[in-house]
Amino acid sequence: MNPQVLLFLVLAAITAVSAVRVVTTELITHAALFLALAFVAVAGIFLQLQADFLAAAQVLIYAGAITTMIIFAIMLSDIHEIKPSDQEDPFPVRFRRRWASRQWGFFPVLLALLFAGGMFWLYRGTGFALSTEAVSGSTTVQLGLQLFNEYALPFELASILLLVAMIGAIILTAKEVR
Amino acid sequence: MSFDYTLLLPELILTALALVVLVIDLSLAPGKKQSLTWITFAGILVAMAGIWPATQTSASQTLSGMVSSDGFSIFFKVLFLTVAALITLASGPYLQQKRLPVGEFYILLLSATLGMMFMSGSRDLITIYLGLELASITSYILAGLLREDPKSNEAAIKYFLNGAMASAVLLFGLSLVYGLTGETHLDIIGKVLNGDISHWPIVGVALVFLVAGFGFKMAAAPFHLWTPDAYEGAPTLVTAFFAVGPKAGAMAAVLRAFTIGFAASSGRWTELFAILAVVSMFFGNLTALWQTNVKRMMAYSSIAHIGYLLVGVTVATTVPGVASVMFYLLAYAVMTLGAFAVILAVDAFGPGDQVGNYAGLATRSPLLAWGLTLFFVSMIGIPPTGGFMGKFYLFSAAVQNGYVWLAVVMAINSAISVGYYYGIVKEMFVGKPLETTSVKAPAGVTAVVAITMVVTLMLGLYASPFLNWATAAAALPRFF
């Protein structure tokens, strides 16, 4: 087998398995760490596609910053385990427990496999518009130029979006609002 | 790359206004922020005046064709700014009474409006998506503004989780389109997809994802699950905004994206929208019959109205189809804002938001009662109101394009909707009031009720200038 394909399959398997573990593990810190593993594996796939900047950003932002934030949130909120409570569980928890249990857990996985298989079958029959230009050197410079020329407007729009999100985070969580 | 400032003037003014409000808010003492209402209101009017230069130039695209300022987007910009202005007009005393953060409310409102303006004006999938997210994320925050109210928390969380999932579905669809065409620009996507490629099964799959994603955002059944809880829990003023703004934004994006980008596959997506239209109309109207909370009832009623609008989207391959959707959106925005202004007055300054709270409103506050009656008459689609003309145009656009069955379904649903609207009207005019004092609606809210009453009647009696405007905006040569 082509080593490229083999590497891709390994990375894809790591991503898929850790994604499943994120929702099935009972320990919430483990869920966060599995999420980080999935992010790193995706970064590997980006590297295979010669998207070096994207891979670095994926590791720095997703595996680094976001996972750290999640773990901080877990530490500060004092919840370590997804425990059954004394009261009857609300519907979403019962729903989650059922589909994550050993008995029924195969069903969501089966559904995901069916979806993946269906999409794979569709992709096989499709001629995607592939780029024929070879990527030479680092993509960072090209990305930067694109971002500040052709995509200047989306870039600015995204910055407003982040500002609004920050304001929202403050007014929804700050102790003293008024 | 050239940047024609005149085409983006309203957006730039709105952004500057949001930042100005942010800074002024910091300098005002708590409880003394009434001036922000008028600054925001004046700023929105200035932004509306800023549309004028764009109508005078022949240029229509700027920033590498990312955004265009054609008649279509100008129509929607006027609509969005009007909505924002009316919400601001009604907001002052309500924010004070509910002790909501004043400055932040206006910043979020303005940012959401900005996002919606980009949804209607952009010709690029990236900008459409960012506009959509800007409008959505601000909406999630707005829904949760009543921090001490568990229902408001629930509204925000449900809206956020459903919205995030919708974004994922939409993005997956967009990524398929990008993979197929190698482009994010709608015109080029339209050209690339115009050929054998449009018959490929994967194009159909991408369309299903896009329809589902946009369906979530505009709360069409069966993607409506978040709507009732979000409407009920959010502050009433915010609910009024939800019922109009983000839906009109998503509708604008759908009209542009599908008619330009996927014109060649129109046979497929029109069918999908026809199914969504039928399900939304029946589900919305039949479920609304059982509601005892007025805000919940309005949520289901809005799902039904999205169904009516989707009848127009089904025939959006023709100019009358697009024009009828635009006209109905105008009528829908006006009558919904009016109805919510009354609901807000009865909820925050009167007895509450249950149907029973409306008992005897006609003797207590005749203006509010007659106003709500007019808006409901318009929503049912009885002349001489904007809602009637809107439904009439949707109906005829559907019939002209061979969707007679869809038009019939629409007529049946209008009849069903009489049931729940009538319940409240009966309560207002026949029910015995528990108190005899009038509902102390603030001047701003009363003004909104009066303005929307006049415009609703105007859209019914003098519809032709508005329809001509919508038709001219929809008939742009580069639109098809």
Side-chain angles (χ1 to χ4, degrees):
Chain A
M1 194 186 275
N2 187 338
Q4 280 282 344
V5 177
L6 192 69
L7 185 60
F8 170 76
L9 287 178
V10 171
L11 287 170
I14 294 174
T15 314
V17 170
S18 38
V20 171
R21 292 296 291 151
V22 172
V23 285
T24 52
T25 181
E26 294 276 315
L27 289 168
I28 201 161
T29 27
H30 283 193
L33 292 173
F34 274 120
L35 193 65
L37 185 59
F39 287 148
V40 173
V42 170
I45 294 176
F46 284 154
L47 267 186
Q48 274 202 299
L49 297 169
Q50 290 175 311
D52 53 353
F53 182 80
L54 208 54
Q58 173 85 5
V59 171
L60 280 175
I61 297 169
Y62 283 87
I66 291 182
T67 312
T68 315
M69 287 300 293
I70 293 175
I71 290 174
F72 261 106
I74 295 166
M75 277 160 52
L76 292 174
S77 67
D78 214 28
I79 302 167
H80 304 290
E81 201 180 341
I82 306 163
K83 286 187 281 212
S85 61
D86 300 335
Q87 304 146 355
E88 197 187 347
D89 289 331
F91 174 71
V93 179
R94 266 186 289 143
F95 188 78
R96 180 193 165 276
R97 286 193 165 275
R98 157 167 289 193
W99 298 120
S101 67
R102 276 182 211 291
Q103 202 179 348
W104 293 97
F106 74 93
F107 188 71
V109 175
L110 192 72
L111 216 60
L113 283 178
L114 271 177
F115 178 72
M119 291 313 293
F120 182 68
W121 178 75
L122 281 168
Y123 289 155
R124 285 295 294 259
T126 305
F128 280 106
L130 298 175
S131 168
T132 46
E133 287 170 55
V135 182
S136 58
S138 160
T139 55
T140 315
V141 175
Q142 295 167 37
L143 266 176
L145 285 173
Q146 288 261 309
L147 207 54
F148 283 96
N149 284 299
E150 205 185 335
Y151 295 98
L153 177 76
F155 183 75
E156 292 302 327
L157 208 52
S159 65
I160 297 175
L161 182 63
L162 290 177
L163 173 71
V164 170
M166 197 166 71
I167 293 173
I170 293 169
I171 56 173
L172 289 183
T173 56
K175 280 221 171 83
E176 193 76 28
V177 188
R178 291 147 202 138
Chain B
M1 187 195 67
S2 65
F3 180 20
D4 190 344
Y5 285 92
T6 53
L7 296 182
L8 275 178
L9 203 54
E11 284 90 340
L12 291 172
I13 294 173
L14 216 56
T15 313
L17 178 62
L19 297 176
V20 166
V21 170
L22 181 68
V23 173
I24 295 181
D25 181 41
L26 294 175
S27 66
L28 295 174
K32 293 203 169 17
K33 302 197 175 182
Q34 290 89 336
S35 58
L36 283 177
T37 308
W38 300 108
I39 294 170
T40 312
F41 189 71
I44 293 171
L45 294 186
V46 173
M48 212 173 308
I51 296 175
W52 179 250
T55 59
Q56 301 304 303
T57 60
S58 55
S60 70
Q61 295 194 19
T62 187
L63 291 162
S64 342
M66 279 274 171
V67 280
S68 58
S69 183
D70 45 21
F72 181 78
S73 65
I74 287 170
F75 180 95
F76 276 100
K77 278 177 198 174
V78 173
L79 178 66
F80 296 145
L81 288 173
T82 311
V83 171
L86 288 175
I87 296 269
T88 310
L89 193 57
S91 64
Y94 179 81
L95 295 178
Q96 222 173 2
Q97 204 241 13
K98 294 276 173 187
R99 307 192 16 184
L100 295 174
V102 180
E104 287 83 354
F105 175 83
Y106 292 124
I107 296 164
L108 293 170
L109 179 72
L110 294 171
S111 311
T113 308
L114 184 72
M116 284 156 10
M117 282 159 81
F118 275 109
M119 280 165 91
S120 71
S122 60
R123 302 174 79 85
D124 193 284
L125 293 178
I126 294 176
T127 345
I128 288 183
Y129 177 71
L130 276 170
L132 185 99
E133 279 303 295
L134 190 56
S136 304
I137 287 178
T138 46
S139 300
Y140 311 147
I141 303 166
L142 283 169
L145 276 186
L146 289 168
R147 283 175 52 190
E148 271 113 65
D149 181 1
K151 277 196 167 174
S152 181
N153 301 349
E154 181 192 353
I157 292 279
K158 280 194 175 161
Y159 197 2
F160 169 67
L161 289 178
N162 277 295
M165 194 166 85
S167 295
V169 169
L170 185 67
L171 271 182
F172 192 66
L174 294 180
S175 76
L176 285 178
V177 173
Y178 179 70
L180 277 167
T181 58
E183 263 300 331
T184 56
H185 198 278
L186 282 173
D187 296 290
I188 305 176
I189 289 173
K191 277 188 199 113
V192 176
L193 285 183
N194 189 10
D196 279 346
I197 189 172
S198 68
H199 300 294
W200 289 2
I202 195 138
V203 178
V205 175
L207 285 173
V208 169
F209 278 111
L210 291 186
V211 170
F214 280 120
F216 261 111
K217 296 286 178 191
M218 62 172 112
F223 308 113
H224 64 277
L225 293 168
W226 55 273
T227 325
D229 294 318
Y231 273 49
E232 192 190 348
T236 311
L237 186 65
V238 173
T239 312
F241 178 65
F242 283 175
V244 182
K247 289 185 183 216
M251 201 54 92
V254 161
L255 285 177
R256 201 189 278 274
F258 283 88
T259 50
I260 298 179
F262 305 99
S265 333
S266 61
R268 291 180 180 174
W269 56 260
T270 51
E271 278 170 23
L272 290 172
F273 278 121
I275 296 168
L276 239 57
V278 173
V279 177
S280 300
M281 281 189 280
F282 274 115
F283 184 86
N285 280 320
L286 292 175
T287 321
L289 290 172
W290 309 106
Q291 303 306 318
T292 53
N293 180 302
V294 177
K295 279 158 84 180
R296 264 188 114 74
M297 190 206 86
M298 288 301 288
Y300 287 109
S301 141
S302 82
I303 294 170
H305 281 283
I306 284 296
Y308 303 140
L309 283 162
L310 287 176
V311 170
V313 176
T314 306
V315 291
T317 45
T318 61
V319 175
V322 177
S324 66
V325 173
M326 290 164 77
F327 183 87
Y328 195 78
L329 268 177
L330 200 62
Y332 171 75
V334 174
M335 64 199 182
T336 307
L337 280 180
F340 268 107
V342 177
I343 293 169
L344 179 125
V346 177
D347 180 27
F349 305 99
D353 61 358
Q354 301 297 316
V355 174
N357 296 133
Y358 286 75
L361 193 67
T363 52
R364 296 180 63 186
S365 302
L367 176 72
L368 295 183
W370 281 102
L372 195 58
T373 310
L374 176 75
F375 301 132
F376 282 171
V377 161
S378 179
M379 285 183 182
I380 296 165
I382 298 172
T385 55
F388 166 73
M389 294 312 283
K391 271 195 187 146
F392 175 74
Y393 293 135
L394 283 174
F395 194 91
S396 51
V399 171
Q400 275 166 23
N401 291 285
Y403 279 96
V404 179
W405 64 274
L406 210 51
V408 172
V409 169
M410 204 171 122
I412 294 171
N413 272 282
S414 296
I416 298 173
S417 73
V418 175
Y420 54 91
Y421 293 128
Y422 175 70
I424 294 181
V425 173
K426 195 180 99 187
E427 201 67 47
M428 287 194 299
F429 285 89
V430 183
K432 277 215 167 65
L434 298 171
E435 299 167 67
T436 47
T437 52
S438 62
V439 172
K440 288 183 192 64
V445 178
T446 315
V448 171
V449 174
I451 294 170
T452 47
M453 276 174 87
V454 171
V455 179
T456 304
L457 282 173
M458 209 160 79
L459 285 172
L461 297 169
Y462 303 101
S464 54
F466 294 96
L467 186 76
N468 289 343
W469 181 27
T471 312
L476 295 164
R478 59 183 169 279
F479 208 68
F480 293 100

